């Protein structure tokens, strides 16, 4: 039986992991402060403005996709490390500007600016880890991605504790920006563990365009593109709305609602670390099918518990389900992308990761906006059924692509 290659982590990996965490803090802070932000800016969610709340995430997603489409050219010209450094700095500036935004549309603008930086990070962080660790890269990518829910968990703790000492949503947003700025500055300087960039590695516009067209002309890629879209939908339905769901449907306080996000994020953190440490790439397909099937069976139980159980019992069951679903959902984001690169070995993996992220991020934005609209009409409880539906479609698409085909 083949053994896993020993993990080899460096200080540079720690800085990259810190970038994952800072990026994740900026991603999760909006769901955590959404109710307070909406009240402060005059579009209270209790008054039927959930669609406006979801549109904030949609604005971020649009700008992320636009910047992701360009980040491949940035990486080809300046390299991934410097591109990631400036993306962190841009995200930090945008998110810190949000802390001083006076109204709804100014928040849309500042979050859109942050979204540009987020798009570059989303497009390049994971393939940069692949470049740093060419041997069994999926394991390192899952470990790196584990620091995303780790960063989210840190933000959840801050969101639960700091308001008790007078901190507002603006304070929390400002802290997110500072946490993102630190790895951005550190990435400006080369360190041991960073892959050397040979002058021959500099790619011009036509070379990057060639990589782009080589990927998008293959029908197999578009099946994975759809699978990645539904992966984003399924994950972000819970990530974005669970805190507001408990506040609106169960009148939960800030501490309890933050704890719900913390439970979800901690479970995803453990799931990605475990997946990265123990699942070999040759078993990736079977692992995706197994985790996908379990997720499809577990996630409908969240709205079912909310609709049928007494309040106290429902909350206990929901928290237990959040922990279990976080473990099973954890590997999908990076593993779907990684499995696509295994199925398309003749194409540039960085380009595949970037383009698939261009599907996953709109999925996240669609989930936030669509659940907000559905929540205004049928309630957030029933809207959570969007999660198992999305993962079922993802599972079917992955299963359909397992048989090797000529492109």
């Amino acid at each position: 039986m083949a053994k896993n290659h020993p993990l080899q982590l460096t200080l540079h990996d720690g800085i990259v992991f810190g970038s994952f965490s800072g990026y994740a803090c900026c991603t999760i802070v909006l769901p955590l402060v959404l109710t307070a932000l909406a009240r402060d800016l005059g579009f209270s969610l209790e008054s039927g403005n959930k669609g406006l709340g979801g549109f904030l995430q949609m604005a971020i997603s649009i700008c992320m996709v636009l910047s992701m489409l360009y980040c491949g050219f940035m990486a080809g010209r300046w390299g991934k490390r410097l591109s990631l450094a400036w993306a962190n700095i841009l995200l930090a500036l945008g998110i810190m500007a949000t802390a001083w935004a006076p109204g709804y549309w100014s928040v849309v603008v500042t979050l859109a600016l942050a979204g540009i930086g987020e798009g570059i990070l989303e497009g390049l962080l994971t393939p940069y880890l692949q470049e740093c660790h060419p041997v069994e890269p999926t394991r390192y990518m899952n470990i790196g991605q584990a620091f995303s829910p780790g960063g989210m968990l840190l933000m959840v703790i801050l969101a639960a504790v700091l308001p008790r000492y007078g901190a507002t949503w603006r304070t929390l947003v400002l802290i997110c920006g500072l946490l993102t700025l630190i790895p951005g500055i550190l990435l400006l300087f080369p360190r041991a563990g960073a892959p050397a960039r040979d002058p021959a590695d500099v790619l011009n516009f036509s070379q990057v365009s060639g990589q782009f067209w080589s990927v998008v002309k293959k029908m197999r890629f578009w099946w994975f593109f759809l699978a990645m879209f539904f992966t984003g939908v399924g994950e972000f339905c819970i990530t974005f709305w669970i805190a507001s769901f408990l506040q609106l449907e169960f009148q939960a306080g800030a501490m309890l609602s933050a704890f719900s996000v913390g439970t979800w994020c901690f479970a995803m953190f453990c799931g990605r670390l475990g997946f990265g440490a123990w699942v070999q790439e040759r078993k990736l397909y079977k692992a995706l099918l197994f985790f996908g099937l379990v997720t499809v069976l577990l996630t409908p139980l969240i709205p079912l518990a909310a609709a049928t159980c007494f309040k106290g019992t429902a909350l206990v069951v929901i928290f237990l389900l959040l922990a279990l679903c976080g473990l099973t959902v954890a590997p999908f984001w990076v593993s779907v992308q990684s499995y696509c690169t295994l199925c398309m070995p003749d194409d540039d993996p960085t380009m595949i990761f970037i383009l698939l992220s261009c599907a996953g991020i709109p999925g996240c934005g669609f989930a936030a906006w669509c659940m907000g609209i559905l929540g205004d009409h049928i309630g957030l409880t029933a809207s959570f059924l969007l999660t198992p539906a999305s993962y079922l479609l993802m599972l079917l698409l992955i299963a359909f692509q397992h048989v090797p085909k000529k492109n």
Side-chain angles (χ1 to χ4, degrees), residues 92-162:
L93 294 176
I95 209 73
M96 286 191 287
T98 303
W100 284 282
Y104 177 83
W105 290 108
S106 57
V107 168
V108 171
V109 172
T110 56
L111 289 179
L113 176 64
I116 297 174
E118 287 188 50
I120 300 170
L121 290 171
E122 179 60 43
L124 296 181
L125 266 176
T126 303
Y128 183 59
L129 266 182
Q130 184 186 46
E131 186 176 292
C132 293
H133 299 282
V135 178
E136 291 198 298
T138 301
R139 301 174 64 202
Y140 293 93
M141 291 186 288
N142 267 294
I143 293 172
Q145 285 281 357
F147 281 81
S148 291
M152 292 179 181
L153 181 60
L154 172 63
M155 199 63 238
V156 166
I157 295 172
L158 295 176
V161 173
L162 293 184

Side-chain angles (χ1 to χ4, degrees), residues 19-340:
S19 188
F20 274 107
S21 294
Y23 164 39
C25 285
C26 295
T27 300
I28 200 62
V29 70
L30 179 59
L32 287 173
V33 305
L34 182 61
T35 302
L37 179 152
R39 289 171 183 160
D40 187 26
L41 300 183
F43 63 104
S44 174
L45 300 182
E46 293 90 340
S47 302
N49 293 301
K50 299 180 187 68
L52 286 176
F55 180 76
L56 292 175
Q57 184 62 43
M58 179 63 79
I60 295 173
S61 299
I62 292 171
C63 291
M64 287 182 71
V65 171
L66 293 176
S67 62
M68 276 190 287
L69 290 173
Y70 181 70
C71 70
F73 299 98
M74 291 180 61
R77 180 64 181 86
W78 295 293
K80 296 184 183 70
R81 179 179 59 82
L82 287 178
S83 299
L84 289 170
W86 288 110
N88 272 291
I89 294 171
L90 180 61
L91 171 56
L93 294 176
I95 209 73
M96 286 191 287
T98 303
W100 284 282
Y104 177 83
W105 290 108
S106 57
V107 168
V108 171
V109 172
T110 56
L111 289 179
L113 176 64
I116 297 174
E118 287 188 50
I120 300 170
L121 290 171
E122 179 60 43
L124 296 181
L125 266 176
T126 303
Y128 183 59
L129 266 182
Q130 184 186 46
E131 186 176 292
C132 293
H133 299 282
V135 178
E136 291 198 298
T138 301
R139 301 174 64 202
Y140 293 93
M141 291 186 288
N142 267 294
I143 293 172
Q145 285 281 357
F147 281 81
S148 291
M152 292 179 181
L153 181 60
L154 172 63
M155 199 63 238
V156 166
I157 295 172
L158 295 176
V161 173
L162 293 184
R164 304 178 70 180
Y165 298 94
T168 67
W169 69 268
R170 296 179 187 273
T171 306
L172 294 170
V173 168
L174 185 61
I175 291 173
C176 281
L178 293 175
L179 291 174
T180 309
L181 189 62
I182 295 171
I185 293 173
L186 292 176
L187 279 172
L188 287 173
F189 307 99
R191 294 174 181 271
R197 181 168 170 81
D198 192 285
D201 294 334
V202 177
L203 302 178
N204 57 37
F205 182 86
S206 62
Q207 289 172 310
V208 177
S209 297
Q211 294 174 348
F212 172 85
W213 289 113
S214 176
V215 173
V216 300
K217 72 181 182 181
K218 296 179 172 67
M219 182 56 67
R220 164 164 285 183
F221 163 77
W222 292 105
W223 292 114
F224 279 106
F225 190 87
L226 284 174
M228 196 65 196
F229 176 83
F230 291 120
T231 300
V233 173
E235 181 176 323
F236 221 69
C237 282
I238 297 177
T239 303
F240 190 88
W241 280 110
I242 189 63
S244 296
F245 169 68
L246 293 183
Q247 291 174 4
L248 297 175
E249 302 294 329
F250 291 89
Q251 292 74 53
M255 179 73 75
L256 187 61
S257 58
F259 183 61
S260 69
V261 182
T263 301
W264 169 253
C265 293
F266 182 71
M268 290 189 67
F269 173 75
C270 294
R272 284 178 178 166
L273 277 183
F275 197 91
W278 293 306
V279 177
Q280 298 171 336
E281 288 205 7
R282 63 188 179 86
K283 298 180 179 179
L284 187 56
Y285 171 71
K286 291 182 179 179
L288 280 172
L289 288 190
F290 173 77
F291 282 96
L293 181 60
V294 174
T295 300
V296 170
L297 295 175
L298 283 178
T299 47
L301 300 180
I302 295 177
L304 180 64
T308 61
C309 297
F310 293 110
K311 180 179 178 180
T313 304
L315 287 174
V316 172
V317 173
I318 287 172
F319 274 86
L320 177 60
L321 289 170
L322 283 174
L324 293 174
C325 292
L327 288 172
T328 62
V329 164
F332 293 145
W333 187 274
V334 66
S335 296
V336 170
Q337 293 174 307
S338 183
Y339 185 60
C340 182

